[in-house]
């Protein structure tokens, strides 16, 4: 049995994967965000890398001098925790940049209230499943080729069997790489033949 | 460039609950450190959310830019180091220097047997027939 700590698809290793930016440079993306008045959204379906991209942008925003304030909503946790939000509203200023992951969890009314209260902030970047609430900074998408790259990074190489499994899992999960990589974890934990050549 | 090192006395890799863990920490940093401390903690690795708990910390008084200090921790009774398919629990001591935030760590096993507990073996040993 493969120990969890040795599983190449353990969370820690997935978090360490770098985001693959396509069609634009990091500088170009930051310029685009500035041109949007530092108000924008990262749009894409579940498992398309929006959260990973937010994480990759965070140190770059800090380098630009922003005080980054992170908020996260999920299906399991669709409401803000009051202490965190009270603190945010209390001292929000132009040096603050709010990153809200999971903005689709807010209904229309709560979204409008949130937007109004974030006006003093120097910036607001949200993630959404569908475009609409703020101008789109970038649309995140996945492809079998991207999955091949990620799996090759994690396994050290991509065998023909692993490539076949990627195609099958990509189709089964409709391009949701989070689910695909979870399946890979289980596959490695079980030591199935998918890792063989 | 900052350099931090931490080690356990005689490179002991496994301890029993309640045992004393002794080690040494050394560092060379580019600016006067605000604080340097060792942390005894465990964390989980595997599928899903990771968990971490700092069990004890020891701050060094008046740390210099280049320095070396001994440290010791009395280890708790639990949790034991273990690994299953979904989760591993790993013990470690870590050296952290501020304000740089640089860190170094060394892992060890905490277990009454002196070995990491492997859940599938434990299950096989207790299953009837």
């Amino acid at each position: 049995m493969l120990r969890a700590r040795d599983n190449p698809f353990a969370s820690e290793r997935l978090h360490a994967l770098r985001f693959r930016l396509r069609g634009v440079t990091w500088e170009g993306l930051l310029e685009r965000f500035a041109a949007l008045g530092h108000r924008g959204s990262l749009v894409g379906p579940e498992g398309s890398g929006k959260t990973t991209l937010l994480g990759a942008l965070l140190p770059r925003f800090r380098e630009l001098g922003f005080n980054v304030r992170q908020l996260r909503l999920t299906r399991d946790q669709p409401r803000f925790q009051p202490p965190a939000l009270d603190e945010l509203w209390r001292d929000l200023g132009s040096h603050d940049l709010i990153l809200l992951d999971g903005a689709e969890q807010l209904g229309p009314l709560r979204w409008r209230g949130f937007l109004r209260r974030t006006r003093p902030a120097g910036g607001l970047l949200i993630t959404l499943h569908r475009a609409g609430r703020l101008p789109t900074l970038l649309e995140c998408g996945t492809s079998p080729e991207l999955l091949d790259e990620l799996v090759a990074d994690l396994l050290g190489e991509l065998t023909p069997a692993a490539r076949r499994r990627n195609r099958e899992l990509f189709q089964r999960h409709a391009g949701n790489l989070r689910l695909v990589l979870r399946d890979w974890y289980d596959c490695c934990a079980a030591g199935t033949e998918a890792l063989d050549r | 460039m900052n350099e931090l090192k931490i080690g356990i006395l005689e490179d002991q890799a496994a301890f029993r609950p309640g045992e004393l863990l002794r080690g040494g920490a050394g560092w060379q940093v580019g600016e006067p450190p605000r604080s340097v401390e060792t942390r005894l903690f465990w964390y989980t690795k595997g599928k899903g959310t990771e968990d971490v708990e700092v069990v004890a910390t020891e701050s060094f008084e008046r740390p210099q830019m280049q320095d070396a200090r001994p440290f010791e921790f009395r280890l708790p009774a639990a949790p034991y180091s273990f690994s299953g398919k979904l989760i591993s629990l790993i013990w470690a001591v870590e050296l952290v220097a501020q304000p740089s935030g640089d860190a170094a760590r060394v892992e060890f096993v905490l277990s009454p047997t002196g070995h990491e507990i492997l859940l599938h073996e434990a299950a096989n040993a207790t299953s009837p027939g």
Side-chain angles (χ1 to χ4, degrees):
Chain A
M1 183 205 74
L2 185 69
R3 298 181 304 176
R5 64 192 300 174
D6 300 325
N7 195 309
F9 294 86
S11 305
E12 184 187 58
R13 299 204 59 197
L14 301 186
H15 294 153
L17 285 172
R18 64 181 174 81
F19 185 86
R20 269 73 168 173
L21 199 57
R22 313 276 193 204
V24 62
T25 62
W26 289 105
E27 292 74 22
L29 189 65
L30 292 170
E31 281 170 17
R32 195 184 289 175
F33 188 50
L36 294 175
H38 294 121
R39 295 282 192 282
S41 60
L42 305 174
V43 179
E46 284 188 56
S48 61
K50 302 183 295 297
T51 303
T52 308
L53 177 54
L54 270 189
L57 283 167
L58 195 147
R60 291 174 166 88
F61 287 138
R62 283 194 176 134
E63 273 174 26
L64 290 173
F66 280 113
N67 178 34
V68 180
R69 318 285 293 261
Q70 292 176 268
L71 296 169
R72 181 171 165 79
L73 296 173
T74 63
R75 221 174 278 148
D76 296 333
Q77 188 72 261
R79 292 190 167 270
F80 294 116
Q81 300 304 296
L85 211 53
D86 291 346
E87 191 184 308
L88 180 69
W89 301 145
R90 198 178 308 131
D91 60 357
L92 196 61
S94 59
H95 60 290
D96 289 308
L97 170 65
I98 300 171
L99 304 183
L100 169 58
D101 194 9
E104 67 280 336
Q105 299 299 328
L106 296 172
L109 272 177
R110 286 174 64 216
W111 165 249
R112 278 201 289 276
F114 177 82
L115 197 57
R116 192 173 56 248
R117 298 203 70 169
T118 56
R119 270 185 205 144
L124 172 63
L125 182 61
I126 64 173
T127 70
L128 284 171
H129 290 154
R130 286 185 198 158
R133 291 189 161 173
L134 287 176
T136 300
L137 174 63
L138 194 80
E139 278 195 40
C140 296
T142 62
S143 66
E145 292 73 26
L146 171 62
L147 176 60
D148 284 347
E149 266 188 53
L150 298 177
V151 171
D153 261 17
L154 293 163
L155 291 177
E157 63 169 341
L158 193 71
T159 62
R163 191 186 300 271
R164 280 196 301 277
R165 184 169 178 82
N166 269 348
R167 295 294 176 276
E168 177 199 324
L169 291 177
F170 190 86
Q171 195 169 12
R172 186 191 306 168
H173 294 298
N176 182 332
L177 296 196
R178 190 180 299 131
L179 296 181
V180 170
L181 295 172
R182 276 184 197 163
D183 266 15
W184 262 111
Y185 182 100
D186 294 336
C187 164
C188 288
T192 60
E193 71 285 357
L195 286 173
D196 301 338
R197 286 166 196 283
Chain B
M1 190 177 153
N2 297 339
E3 192 180 351
L4 283 80
K5 287 182 180 170
I6 187 166
I8 296 173
L9 192 66
E10 294 176 348
D11 291 328
Q12 189 175 342
F15 293 83
R16 288 182 166 71
E19 214 175 329
L20 193 64
L21 180 153
R22 290 197 179 96
W27 60 91
Q28 186 170 1
V29 292
E31 58 179 325
R34 192 173 67 224
S35 71
V36 179
E37 65 180 28
T38 48
R39 296 172 185 165
L40 171 69
F41 69 104
W42 58 259
Y43 67 101
T44 62
K45 203 184 246 190
K47 191 178 184 182
T49 312
E50 292 152 355
D51 207 357
V52 62
E53 184 170 324
V54 177
V55 175
T57 61
E58 185 179 321
S59 292
F60 297 116
E61 287 186 15
R62 293 183 292 282
Q64 304 300 303
M65 286 169 66
Q66 184 174 352
D67 213 336
R69 306 283 181 96
F71 67 87
E72 63 178 41
F73 288 110
R74 176 67 63 185
L75 297 174
Y80 301 154
S81 303
F82 72 85
S83 269
K85 280 184 181 180
L86 294 180
I87 195 170
S88 291
L89 187 144
I90 300 158
W91 277 95
V93 278
E94 186 176 50
L95 175 68
V96 183
Q98 299 294 359
S100 68
D102 287 317
R105 75 165 63 165
V106 57
E107 295 179 359
F108 64 92
V109 167
L110 177 68
S111 150
T113 64
H115 299 284
E116 178 185 37
I117 293 164
L118 298 175
L119 294 183
H120 68 291
E121 287 180 1
N124 290 343
T126 55
S127 62

PDB file of all heavy atoms in Angstrom, chain A residues 180-195:
ATOM      1  N   VAL A 180     -10.555  15.043 -11.428  1.00  0.00           N
ATOM      2  CA  VAL A 180      -9.640  14.122 -12.109  1.00  0.00           C
ATOM      3  C   VAL A 180      -8.448  13.793 -11.207  1.00  0.00           C
ATOM      4  O   VAL A 180      -8.072  12.627 -11.051  1.00  0.00           O
ATOM      5  CB  VAL A 180      -9.130  14.743 -13.430  1.00  0.00           C
ATOM      6  CG1 VAL A 180      -8.004  13.911 -14.015  1.00  0.00           C
ATOM      7  CG2 VAL A 180     -10.267  14.881 -14.436  1.00  0.00           C
ATOM      8  N   LEU A 181      -7.878  14.825 -10.590  1.00  0.00           N
ATOM      9  CA  LEU A 181      -6.693  14.595  -9.754  1.00  0.00           C
ATOM     10  C   LEU A 181      -7.048  13.829  -8.481  1.00  0.00           C
ATOM     11  O   LEU A 181      -6.223  13.081  -7.955  1.00  0.00           O
ATOM     12  CB  LEU A 181      -6.014  15.928  -9.444  1.00  0.00           C
ATOM     13  CG  LEU A 181      -5.445  16.632 -10.696  1.00  0.00           C
ATOM     14  CD1 LEU A 181      -4.955  18.037 -10.367  1.00  0.00           C
ATOM     15  CD2 LEU A 181      -4.324  15.816 -11.337  1.00  0.00           C
ATOM     16  N   ARG A 182      -8.268  13.983  -8.003  1.00  0.00           N
ATOM     17  CA  ARG A 182      -8.711  13.166  -6.860  1.00  0.00           C
ATOM     18  C   ARG A 182      -8.788  11.694  -7.251  1.00  0.00           C
ATOM     19  O   ARG A 182      -8.422  10.812  -6.483  1.00  0.00           O
ATOM     20  CB  ARG A 182     -10.086  13.635  -6.367  1.00  0.00           C
ATOM     21  CG  ARG A 182      -9.986  14.798  -5.419  1.00  0.00           C
ATOM     22  CD  ARG A 182     -11.350  15.162  -4.884  1.00  0.00           C
ATOM     23  NE  ARG A 182     -11.306  16.490  -4.302  1.00  0.00           N
ATOM     24  CZ  ARG A 182     -12.359  17.227  -4.033  1.00  0.00           C
ATOM     25  NH1 ARG A 182     -13.555  16.769  -4.286  1.00  0.00           N
ATOM     26  NH2 ARG A 182     -12.226  18.410  -3.493  1.00  0.00           N
ATOM     27  N   ASP A 183      -9.274  11.453  -8.454  1.00  0.00           N
ATOM     28  CA  ASP A 183      -9.324  10.067  -8.934  1.00  0.00           C
ATOM     29  C   ASP A 183      -7.917   9.488  -9.067  1.00  0.00           C
ATOM     30  O   ASP A 183      -7.686   8.317  -8.775  1.00  0.00           O
ATOM     31  CB  ASP A 183     -10.034  10.003 -10.290  1.00  0.00           C
ATOM     32  CG  ASP A 183     -11.507   9.697 -10.135  1.00  0.00           C
ATOM     33  OD1 ASP A 183     -12.014   9.827  -8.999  1.00  0.00           O
ATOM     34  OD2 ASP A 183     -12.159   9.327 -11.132  1.00  0.00           O
ATOM     35  N   TRP A 184      -7.014  10.342  -9.503  1.00  0.00           N
ATOM     36  CA  TRP A 184      -5.620   9.903  -9.614  1.00  0.00           C
ATOM     37  C   TRP A 184      -5.069   9.522  -8.237  1.00  0.00           C
ATOM     38  O   TRP A 184      -4.309   8.575  -8.095  1.00  0.00           O
ATOM     39  CB  TRP A 184      -4.766  11.010 -10.236  1.00  0.00           C
ATOM     40  CG  TRP A 184      -4.533  10.841 -11.703  1.00  0.00           C
ATOM     41  CD1 TRP A 184      -5.037  11.609 -12.712  1.00  0.00           C
ATOM     42  CD2 TRP A 184      -3.729   9.848 -12.343  1.00  0.00           C
ATOM     43  NE1 TRP A 184      -4.604  11.159 -13.921  1.00  0.00           N
ATOM     44  CE2 TRP A 184      -3.791  10.084 -13.725  1.00  0.00           C
ATOM     45  CE3 TRP A 184      -2.964   8.787 -11.880  1.00  0.00           C
ATOM     46  CZ2 TRP A 184      -3.117   9.296 -14.658  1.00  0.00           C
ATOM     47  CZ3 TRP A 184      -2.284   7.999 -12.793  1.00  0.00           C
ATOM     48  CH2 TRP A 184      -2.363   8.255 -14.158  1.00  0.00           C
ATOM     49  N   TYR A 185      -5.443  10.309  -7.225  1.00  0.00           N
ATOM     50  CA  TYR A 185      -4.992  10.000  -5.866  1.00  0.00           C
ATOM     51  C   TYR A 185      -5.448   8.585  -5.490  1.00  0.00           C
ATOM     52  O   TYR A 185      -4.656   7.768  -5.015  1.00  0.00           O
ATOM     53  CB  TYR A 185      -5.561  11.019  -4.860  1.00  0.00           C
ATOM     54  CG  TYR A 185      -5.087  10.779  -3.448  1.00  0.00           C
ATOM     55  CD1 TYR A 185      -4.060  11.530  -2.900  1.00  0.00           C
ATOM     56  CD2 TYR A 185      -5.663   9.771  -2.661  1.00  0.00           C
ATOM     57  CE1 TYR A 185      -3.607  11.282  -1.614  1.00  0.00           C
ATOM     58  CE2 TYR A 185      -5.218   9.511  -1.387  1.00  0.00           C
ATOM     59  CZ  TYR A 185      -4.188  10.278  -0.859  1.00  0.00           C
ATOM     60  OH  TYR A 185      -3.734  10.011   0.412  1.00  0.00           O
ATOM     61  N   ASP A 186      -6.727   8.322  -5.723  1.00  0.00           N
ATOM     62  CA  ASP A 186      -7.275   7.011  -5.363  1.00  0.00           C
ATOM     63  C   ASP A 186      -6.594   5.900  -6.148  1.00  0.00           C
ATOM     64  O   ASP A 186      -6.346   4.811  -5.615  1.00  0.00           O
ATOM     65  CB  ASP A 186      -8.789   6.984  -5.631  1.00  0.00           C
ATOM     66  CG  ASP A 186      -9.537   7.942  -4.714  1.00  0.00           C
ATOM     67  OD1 ASP A 186      -9.000   8.266  -3.627  1.00  0.00           O
ATOM     68  OD2 ASP A 186     -10.636   8.378  -5.081  1.00  0.00           O
ATOM     69  N   CYS A 187      -6.322   6.195  -7.398  1.00  0.00           N
ATOM     70  CA  CYS A 187      -5.673   5.207  -8.255  1.00  0.00           C
ATOM     71  C   CYS A 187      -4.292   4.849  -7.697  1.00  0.00           C
ATOM     72  O   CYS A 187      -3.931   3.673  -7.578  1.00  0.00           O
ATOM     73  CB  CYS A 187      -5.573   5.785  -9.668  1.00  0.00           C
ATOM     74  SG  CYS A 187      -4.439   4.945 -10.743  1.00  0.00           S
ATOM     75  N   CYS A 188      -3.540   5.866  -7.299  1.00  0.00           N
ATOM     76  CA  CYS A 188      -2.204   5.626  -6.745  1.00  0.00           C
ATOM     77  C   CYS A 188      -2.319   4.918  -5.391  1.00  0.00           C
ATOM     78  O   CYS A 188      -1.537   4.016  -5.083  1.00  0.00           O
ATOM     79  CB  CYS A 188      -1.442   6.931  -6.571  1.00  0.00           C
ATOM     80  SG  CYS A 188      -0.916   7.637  -8.124  1.00  0.00           S
ATOM     81  N   ALA A 189      -3.288   5.345  -4.575  1.00  0.00           N
ATOM     82  CA  ALA A 189      -3.457   4.725  -3.250  1.00  0.00           C
ATOM     83  C   ALA A 189      -3.775   3.245  -3.377  1.00  0.00           C
ATOM     84  O   ALA A 189      -3.341   2.417  -2.578  1.00  0.00           O
ATOM     85  CB  ALA A 189      -4.566   5.444  -2.485  1.00  0.00           C
ATOM     86  N   ALA A 190      -4.534   2.929  -4.413  1.00  0.00           N
ATOM     87  CA  ALA A 190      -4.922   1.521  -4.607  1.00  0.00           C
ATOM     88  C   ALA A 190      -3.839   0.739  -5.345  1.00  0.00           C
ATOM     89  O   ALA A 190      -3.892  -0.485  -5.412  1.00  0.00           O
ATOM     90  CB  ALA A 190      -6.230   1.465  -5.392  1.00  0.00           C
ATOM     91  N   GLY A 191      -2.875   1.488  -5.913  1.00  0.00           N
ATOM     92  CA  GLY A 191      -1.795   0.816  -6.643  1.00  0.00           C
ATOM     93  C   GLY A 191      -2.294   0.107  -7.879  1.00  0.00           C
ATOM     94  O   GLY A 191      -1.809  -0.969  -8.219  1.00  0.00           O
ATOM     95  N   THR A 192      -3.237   0.701  -8.582  1.00  0.00           N
ATOM     96  CA  THR A 192      -3.808   0.030  -9.752  1.00  0.00           C
ATOM     97  C   THR A 192      -2.849   0.060 -10.931  1.00  0.00           C
ATOM     98  O   THR A 192      -1.865   0.800 -10.938  1.00  0.00           O
ATOM     99  CB  THR A 192      -5.134   0.695 -10.200  1.00  0.00           C
ATOM    100  OG1 THR A 192      -4.854   2.034 -10.526  1.00  0.00           O
ATOM    101  CG2 THR A 192      -6.169   0.626  -9.106  1.00  0.00           C
ATOM    102  N   GLU A 193      -3.165  -0.713 -11.902  1.00  0.00           N
ATOM    103  CA  GLU A 193      -2.256  -0.877 -13.035  1.00  0.00           C
ATOM    104  C   GLU A 193      -2.174   0.358 -13.929  1.00  0.00           C
ATOM    105  O   GLU A 193      -1.368   0.406 -14.832  1.00  0.00           O
ATOM    106  CB  GLU A 193      -2.662  -2.094 -13.872  1.00  0.00           C
ATOM    107  CG  GLU A 193      -3.932  -1.946 -14.667  1.00  0.00           C
ATOM    108  CD  GLU A 193      -5.180  -2.026 -13.810  1.00  0.00           C
ATOM    109  OE1 GLU A 193      -5.073  -2.253 -12.585  1.00  0.00           O
ATOM    110  OE2 GLU A 193      -6.272  -1.872 -14.361  1.00  0.00           O
ATOM    111  N   ALA A 194      -2.990   1.389 -13.621  1.00  0.00           N
ATOM    112  CA  ALA A 194      -2.945   2.592 -14.448  1.00  0.00           C
ATOM    113  C   ALA A 194      -1.586   3.273 -14.394  1.00  0.00           C
ATOM    114  O   ALA A 194      -1.238   4.056 -15.256  1.00  0.00           O
ATOM    115  CB  ALA A 194      -4.019   3.569 -14.007  1.00  0.00           C
ATOM    116  N   LEU A 195      -0.823   2.970 -13.355  1.00  0.00           N
ATOM    117  CA  LEU A 195       0.498   3.568 -13.248  1.00  0.00           C
ATOM    118  C   LEU A 195       1.521   2.784 -14.057  1.00  0.00           C
ATOM    119  O   LEU A 195       2.646   3.214 -14.230  1.00  0.00           O
ATOM    120  CB  LEU A 195       0.937   3.620 -11.784  1.00  0.00           C
ATOM    121  CG  LEU A 195       0.224   4.679 -10.949  1.00  0.00           C
ATOM    122  CD1 LEU A 195       0.594   4.526  -9.490  1.00  0.00           C
ATOM    123  CD2 LEU A 195       0.587   6.060 -11.430  1.00  0.00           C
TER     124      LEU A 195
END
